[in-house]
Amino acid sequence: GNGYMDGKELQNFIQELQQARKKAGLDLTPEMKAFVDQYGKATDGKIGIVELAQILPTEENFLLFFRCQQLKSSEDFMQTWRKYDSDHSGFIDSEELKSFLKDLLQKANKQIEDSKLTEYTEIMLRMFDANNDGKLELTELARLLPVQENFLIKFQGVKMCAKEFNKVFEMYDQDGNGYIDENELDALLKDLCEKNKKELDINNLAMYKKNIMALSDGGKLYRAELALILCAEEN
């Protein structure tokens, strides 16, 4: 559930792909062969669902729409999310998702009919809505981004429980005004990078900060928005 396949997950997928094609009496397509050659023996490769979509032999693979250059920026993605999660709930429902996808596709210069957009929305919910509540969270929908461009993946290993997160937020909200500004976020991220050198690279600090601040409200990063990045879900 970290947003990509790697290691044994990737090896198992490749093995099942080859077996399924053989059982169906089909050879691997050229795209599949290239994929297997690239990832078949590697154990350190990572691949996300949008990258994987490139090898799927479908006539119309809507996931490929999200390979467009305009959708490769985490910052643009976060700004679009912020627009539709206007109530700071941390998720968007099916109608909001439909508008969200329409906006993203328009940025990629893709004009589609409303019926097709509804179909895409339903597909997205089936793919990513793990608990079937008709809502998607930021980290779930962020899988539309290529793995290399999805900075949220970097924060999977540094997420904290709600109690710890609230303590950290209050520590860095030095003036106690209920939100973190850019300077306070800078201090927080520097400490996170120092404590989690395996997951976070201090050389990418400016990129982390820029993407996270894209969730802010006029430079004010409230608790709920920062929680989307740093707070793990609790059952």
Side-chain angles (χ1 to χ4, degrees):
N2 59 6
Y4 57 84
M5 290 191 296
D6 65 351
K8 192 64 177 178
E9 295 170 331
L10 193 51
Q11 302 302 308
N12 289 341
F13 172 81
I14 289 173
Q15 184 179 15
E16 188 165 338
L17 171 66
Q18 292 172 317
Q19 291 174 349
R21 296 290 289 183
K22 185 176 181 180
K23 186 176 181 180
L26 299 170
D27 293 328
L28 294 180
T29 65
E31 292 83 5
M32 290 178 180
K33 288 179 181 177
F35 170 79
V36 171
D37 289 342
Q38 182 177 356
Y39 294 100
K41 297 180 180 180
T43 58
D44 57 350
K46 298 179 180 180
I47 189 166
I49 194 166
V50 179
E51 288 92 340
L52 190 60
Q54 293 181 98
I55 72 165
L56 300 179
T58 55
E59 292 182 8
E60 184 183 5
N61 190 335
F62 89 100
L63 285 172
L64 296 185
F65 289 161
F66 300 98
R67 293 292 296 177
C68 298
Q69 185 65 38
Q70 295 94 324
L71 302 180
K72 284 187 176 182
S73 164
S74 286
E75 183 183 8
D76 287 346
F77 182 88
M78 302 287 269
Q79 287 174 343
T80 305
W81 170 275
R82 177 70 181 81
K83 174 181 176 181
Y84 289 101
D85 184 24
S86 56
D87 59 357
H88 309 279
S89 63
F91 59 80
I92 53 178
D93 60 27
S94 58
E95 283 303 311
E96 291 169 331
L97 175 61
K98 185 176 180 180
S99 297
F100 181 91
L101 293 177
K102 183 177 181 180
D103 195 348
L104 286 179
L105 291 169
Q106 285 179 341
K107 284 188 176 183
N109 296 317
K110 298 289 184 181
Q111 300 296 327
I112 60 174
E113 296 179 357
D114 189 70
S115 60
K116 186 62 66 175
L117 185 61
T118 298
E119 178 186 339
Y120 291 166
T121 303
E122 292 172 352
I123 291 172
M124 290 301 301
L125 285 172
R126 286 201 302 271
M127 290 172 65
F128 297 131
D129 183 15
N131 59 2
N132 297 313
D133 63 355
K135 303 171 184 176
L136 288 183
E137 296 181 1
L138 175 67
T139 51
E140 293 174 321
L141 200 56
R143 296 181 189 181
L144 287 171
L145 291 167
V147 169
Q148 294 84 353
E149 302 294 334
N150 188 349
F151 93 104
L152 288 169
I153 288 175
K154 297 289 186 182
F155 287 84
Q156 290 295 327
V158 303
K159 286 195 171 185
M160 53 196 80
C161 69
K163 183 177 181 180
E164 185 180 3
F165 169 77
N166 286 331
K167 184 177 179 180
V168 168
F169 186 89
E170 289 163 7
M171 180 187 303
Y172 288 92
D173 177 20
Q174 297 177 354
D175 51 13
N177 56 12
Y179 62 83
I180 286 178
D181 61 27
E182 193 167 346
N183 291 329
E184 291 168 333
L185 179 62
D186 189 70
L188 189 161
L189 290 176
K190 282 180 179 176
D191 288 347
L192 276 180
C193 288
E194 186 63 31
K195 293 177 182 178
N196 301 275
K197 292 181 179 179
K198 289 184 178 180
E199 287 89 1
L200 302 178
D201 184 354
I202 193 130
N203 293 319
N204 291 325
L205 182 66
M207 181 268 286
Y208 299 152
K209 185 167 67 172
K210 185 178 181 182
N211 288 324
I212 294 175
M213 287 305 294
L215 286 172
S216 70
D217 183 3
K220 299 177 181 179
L221 186 66
Y222 290 97
R223 189 185 303 255
E225 276 66 48
L226 188 59
L228 296 175
I229 312 296
L230 296 181
C231 188
E233 291 182 37
E234 294 183 314
N235 295 325

